[in-house]
């Protein structure tokens, strides 16, 4: 049976290093309220969205212009029976050059369809990776959750690049 972990990918014209710099700028594309370091191995940070979701993540690998890997140390959802579904999962960003473009492949290893949070988490990651992170890489401005708790998907302070 093949791995059913959530994955998504996109390509941009920017360099692999520019993509890496944007990925490690987690406040620029996921949440302005991130607390802690997000750039190098052994950095730990916390993500919090209202009382709905919070997690603690450790950067376990960060190779400039190549990859970033996170380990979810602790997680809480208020909308699932097992609110720790992300605990022990890994989040991988692979960066490569393909056909003159930079490809970013994202996999949340362990986020699988059997998890109660899968549909919601898939939808969230799809937005934060394919819209917000892509925008941060291509325009210098993402659509993260704001400090006052406004969901990045609801923010209209940037325009999608054409």
């Amino acid at each position: 049976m093949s791995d059913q972990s959530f994955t998504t990918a996109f390509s941009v014209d920017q360099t692999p290093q520019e993509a890496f710099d944007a990925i490690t700028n987690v406040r620029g594309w996921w949440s302005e309220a991130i607390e802690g370091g997000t750039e190098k191995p052994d950095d730990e940070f916390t993500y919090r969205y209202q009382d709905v979701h919070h997690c603690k993540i450790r950067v376990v690998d960060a190779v400039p212009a190549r990859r970033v890997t996170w380990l979810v140390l602790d997680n809480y959802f208020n909308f699932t029976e097992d609110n720790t579904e992300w605990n022990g999962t890994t989040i991988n960003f692979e960066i490569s050059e393909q056909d003159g473009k930079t490809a970013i492949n994202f996999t949340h290893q362990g986020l699988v369809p059997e998890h109660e949070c899968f549909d919601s988490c898939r939808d969230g990651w799809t937005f934060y990776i394919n819209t917000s992170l892509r925008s941060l890489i291509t325009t210098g401005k993402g659509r993260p959750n704001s400090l006052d708790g406004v969901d990045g998907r609801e923010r209209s302070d940037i325009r999608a690049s054409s």
Side-chain angles (χ1 to χ4, degrees), residues 42-45 55-60 70-75 86-89:
D42 296 324
D43 278 355
E44 290 185 2
F45 64 93
C55 59
K56 183 174 184 177
I57 294 175
R58 176 181 299 136
V59 178
V60 294
W70 300 340
L71 172 65
V72 179
L73 301 173
D74 189 43
N75 187 75
W86 281 18
N87 286 0
T89 62

mmCIF file of all heavy atoms in Angstrom, residues 42-45 55-60 70-75 86-89:
data_model
loop_
_atom_site.group_PDB
_atom_site.id
_atom_site.type_symbol
_atom_site.label_atom_id
_atom_site.label_comp_id
_atom_site.label_asym_id
_atom_site.label_seq_id
_atom_site.Cartn_x
_atom_site.Cartn_y
_atom_site.Cartn_z
ATOM 1 N N ASP A 42 17.110 22.395 15.440
ATOM 2 C CA ASP A 42 16.914 22.517 16.888
ATOM 3 C C ASP A 42 16.133 23.751 17.301
ATOM 4 O O ASP A 42 15.801 23.893 18.474
ATOM 5 C CB ASP A 42 18.229 22.411 17.670
ATOM 6 C CG ASP A 42 18.857 21.031 17.513
ATOM 7 O OD1 ASP A 42 18.099 20.042 17.450
ATOM 8 O OD2 ASP A 42 20.092 20.954 17.434
ATOM 9 N N ASP A 43 15.817 24.675 16.361
ATOM 10 C CA ASP A 43 14.890 25.747 16.686
ATOM 11 C C ASP A 43 13.546 25.109 17.004
ATOM 12 O O ASP A 43 13.169 24.087 16.409
ATOM 13 C CB ASP A 43 14.693 26.703 15.492
ATOM 14 C CG ASP A 43 15.779 27.745 15.353
ATOM 15 O OD1 ASP A 43 16.667 27.822 16.232
ATOM 16 O OD2 ASP A 43 15.735 28.497 14.357
ATOM 17 N N GLU A 44 12.824 25.687 17.947
ATOM 18 C CA GLU A 44 11.469 25.241 18.262
ATOM 19 C C GLU A 44 10.547 26.437 18.232
ATOM 20 O O GLU A 44 10.928 27.531 18.644
ATOM 21 C CB GLU A 44 11.418 24.558 19.631
ATOM 22 C CG GLU A 44 12.126 23.224 19.639
ATOM 23 C CD GLU A 44 11.995 22.472 20.953
ATOM 24 O OE1 GLU A 44 11.302 22.962 21.883
ATOM 25 O OE2 GLU A 44 12.580 21.382 21.053
ATOM 26 N N PHE A 45 9.343 26.213 17.718
ATOM 27 C CA PHE A 45 8.369 27.289 17.666
ATOM 28 C C PHE A 45 6.981 26.760 17.981
ATOM 29 O O PHE A 45 6.716 25.563 17.872
ATOM 30 C CB PHE A 45 8.403 28.020 16.316
ATOM 31 C CG PHE A 45 8.020 27.202 15.112
ATOM 32 C CD1 PHE A 45 6.716 27.181 14.653
ATOM 33 C CD2 PHE A 45 8.984 26.492 14.404
ATOM 34 C CE1 PHE A 45 6.369 26.456 13.519
ATOM 35 C CE2 PHE A 45 8.642 25.768 13.268
ATOM 36 C CZ PHE A 45 7.327 25.750 12.829
ATOM 37 N N CYS A 55 0.204 24.026 18.327
ATOM 38 C CA CYS A 55 1.190 22.962 18.254
ATOM 39 C C CYS A 55 2.579 23.523 18.530
ATOM 40 O O CYS A 55 2.823 24.719 18.418
ATOM 41 C CB CYS A 55 1.155 22.255 16.898
ATOM 42 S SG CYS A 55 1.443 23.304 15.472
ATOM 43 N N LYS A 56 3.465 22.605 18.918
ATOM 44 C CA LYS A 56 4.871 22.929 19.127
ATOM 45 C C LYS A 56 5.668 22.098 18.131
ATOM 46 O O LYS A 56 5.459 20.883 18.017
ATOM 47 C CB LYS A 56 5.307 22.607 20.553
ATOM 48 C CG LYS A 56 6.740 22.982 20.842
ATOM 49 C CD LYS A 56 7.078 22.772 22.301
ATOM 50 C CE LYS A 56 8.496 23.246 22.572
ATOM 51 N NZ LYS A 56 8.811 23.119 24.009
ATOM 52 N N ILE A 57 6.562 22.765 17.415
ATOM 53 C CA ILE A 57 7.296 22.134 16.316
ATOM 54 C C ILE A 57 8.788 22.377 16.477
ATOM 55 O O ILE A 57 9.205 23.469 16.865
ATOM 56 C CB ILE A 57 6.795 22.693 14.960
ATOM 57 C CG1 ILE A 57 5.340 22.269 14.727
ATOM 58 C CG2 ILE A 57 7.698 22.271 13.811
ATOM 59 C CD1 ILE A 57 4.693 22.847 13.486
ATOM 60 N N ARG A 58 9.588 21.369 16.155
ATOM 61 C CA ARG A 58 11.047 21.504 16.153
ATOM 62 C C ARG A 58 11.548 21.399 14.712
ATOM 63 O O ARG A 58 11.137 20.506 13.961
ATOM 64 C CB ARG A 58 11.713 20.411 16.978
ATOM 65 C CG ARG A 58 13.261 20.478 16.898
ATOM 66 C CD ARG A 58 13.954 19.387 17.695
ATOM 67 N NE ARG A 58 13.597 19.522 19.088
ATOM 68 C CZ ARG A 58 13.256 18.494 19.878
ATOM 69 N NH1 ARG A 58 13.215 17.265 19.392
ATOM 70 N NH2 ARG A 58 12.951 18.693 21.145
ATOM 71 N N VAL A 59 12.439 22.301 14.341
ATOM 72 C CA VAL A 59 13.116 22.202 13.050
ATOM 73 C C VAL A 59 14.174 21.114 13.207
ATOM 74 O O VAL A 59 15.073 21.237 14.046
ATOM 75 C CB VAL A 59 13.773 23.541 12.646
ATOM 76 C CG1 VAL A 59 14.509 23.395 11.316
ATOM 77 C CG2 VAL A 59 12.742 24.666 12.595
ATOM 78 N N VAL A 60 14.075 20.025 12.448
ATOM 79 C CA VAL A 60 15.050 18.937 12.576
ATOM 80 C C VAL A 60 16.064 18.934 11.440
ATOM 81 O O VAL A 60 17.137 18.343 11.574
ATOM 82 C CB VAL A 60 14.379 17.552 12.699
ATOM 83 C CG1 VAL A 60 13.595 17.459 14.003
ATOM 84 C CG2 VAL A 60 13.491 17.240 11.513
ATOM 85 N N TRP A 70 10.359 19.544 9.693
ATOM 86 C CA TRP A 70 9.888 19.829 11.046
ATOM 87 C C TRP A 70 9.342 18.545 11.675
ATOM 88 O O TRP A 70 8.787 17.693 10.990
ATOM 89 C CB TRP A 70 8.729 20.811 11.025
ATOM 90 C CG TRP A 70 8.965 22.152 10.431
ATOM 91 C CD1 TRP A 70 10.156 22.795 10.228
ATOM 92 C CD2 TRP A 70 7.953 23.046 9.962
ATOM 93 N NE1 TRP A 70 9.937 24.027 9.675
ATOM 94 C CE2 TRP A 70 8.589 24.211 9.507
ATOM 95 C CE3 TRP A 70 6.567 22.981 9.908
ATOM 96 C CZ2 TRP A 70 7.884 25.290 8.994
ATOM 97 C CZ3 TRP A 70 5.862 24.049 9.397
ATOM 98 C CH2 TRP A 70 6.522 25.194 8.954
ATOM 99 N N LEU A 71 9.452 18.464 12.995
ATOM 100 C CA LEU A 71 8.840 17.394 13.778
ATOM 101 C C LEU A 71 7.807 18.030 14.699
ATOM 102 O O LEU A 71 8.129 18.981 15.422
ATOM 103 C CB LEU A 71 9.901 16.666 14.613
ATOM 104 C CG LEU A 71 9.379 15.640 15.626
ATOM 105 C CD1 LEU A 71 8.694 14.470 14.912
ATOM 106 C CD2 LEU A 71 10.527 15.151 16.502
ATOM 107 N N VAL A 72 6.584 17.510 14.677
ATOM 108 C CA VAL A 72 5.538 18.016 15.564
ATOM 109 C C VAL A 72 5.714 17.352 16.930
ATOM 110 O O VAL A 72 5.548 16.137 17.064
ATOM 111 C CB VAL A 72 4.127 17.753 15.002
ATOM 112 C CG1 VAL A 72 3.071 18.282 15.965
ATOM 113 C CG2 VAL A 72 3.976 18.379 13.615
ATOM 114 N N LEU A 73 6.077 18.159 17.919
ATOM 115 C CA LEU A 73 6.327 17.655 19.266
ATOM 116 C C LEU A 73 5.046 17.530 20.078
ATOM 117 O O LEU A 73 4.899 16.604 20.887
ATOM 118 C CB LEU A 73 7.291 18.596 20.002
ATOM 119 C CG LEU A 73 8.652 18.802 19.345
ATOM 120 C CD1 LEU A 73 9.427 19.881 20.084
ATOM 121 C CD2 LEU A 73 9.429 17.498 19.314
ATOM 122 N N ASP A 74 4.148 18.471 19.901
ATOM 123 C CA ASP A 74 2.910 18.488 20.664
ATOM 124 C C ASP A 74 1.850 19.176 19.828
ATOM 125 O O ASP A 74 2.152 20.132 19.115
ATOM 126 C CB ASP A 74 3.121 19.232 21.992
ATOM 127 C CG ASP A 74 1.939 19.108 22.913
ATOM 128 O OD1 ASP A 74 1.381 18.000 23.028
ATOM 129 O OD2 ASP A 74 1.554 20.129 23.523
ATOM 130 N N ASN A 75 0.636 18.695 19.914
ATOM 131 C CA ASN A 75 -0.442 19.253 19.102
ATOM 132 C C ASN A 75 -1.760 19.168 19.844
ATOM 133 O O ASN A 75 -1.991 18.241 20.620
ATOM 134 C CB ASN A 75 -0.565 18.467 17.789
ATOM 135 C CG ASN A 75 -1.550 19.118 16.850
ATOM 136 O OD1 ASN A 75 -1.236 20.131 16.245
ATOM 137 N ND2 ASN A 75 -2.743 18.565 16.734
ATOM 138 N N TRP A 86 -1.571 15.076 15.208
ATOM 139 C CA TRP A 86 -0.315 15.459 14.566
ATOM 140 C C TRP A 86 0.922 15.043 15.361
ATOM 141 O O TRP A 86 2.032 15.087 14.831
ATOM 142 C CB TRP A 86 -0.254 16.974 14.382
ATOM 143 C CG TRP A 86 -1.018 17.533 13.229
ATOM 144 C CD1 TRP A 86 -2.018 16.959 12.514
ATOM 145 C CD2 TRP A 86 -0.826 18.833 12.673
ATOM 146 N NE1 TRP A 86 -2.474 17.821 11.558
ATOM 147 C CE2 TRP A 86 -1.757 18.985 11.637
ATOM 148 C CE3 TRP A 86 0.039 19.887 12.964
ATOM 149 C CZ2 TRP A 86 -1.836 20.145 10.863
ATOM 150 C CZ3 TRP A 86 -0.057 21.039 12.213
ATOM 151 C CH2 TRP A 86 -0.983 21.165 11.171
ATOM 152 N N ASN A 87 0.770 14.680 16.627
ATOM 153 C CA ASN A 87 1.941 14.372 17.449
ATOM 154 C C ASN A 87 2.835 13.342 16.764
ATOM 155 O O ASN A 87 2.368 12.293 16.314
ATOM 156 C CB ASN A 87 1.530 13.835 18.819
ATOM 157 C CG ASN A 87 0.994 14.917 19.729
ATOM 158 O OD1 ASN A 87 0.924 16.086 19.357
ATOM 159 N ND2 ASN A 87 0.605 14.521 20.931
ATOM 160 N N GLY A 88 4.131 13.663 16.671
ATOM 161 C CA GLY A 88 5.110 12.746 16.090
ATOM 162 C C GLY A 88 5.154 12.729 14.573
ATOM 163 O O GLY A 88 5.956 12.005 13.993
ATOM 164 N N THR A 89 4.321 13.532 13.911
ATOM 165 C CA THR A 89 4.366 13.580 12.451
ATOM 166 C C THR A 89 5.486 14.517 12.001
ATOM 167 O O THR A 89 5.979 15.331 12.780
ATOM 168 C CB THR A 89 3.023 14.041 11.851
ATOM 169 O OG1 THR A 89 2.742 15.373 12.291
ATOM 170 C CG2 THR A 89 1.884 13.111 12.255
#
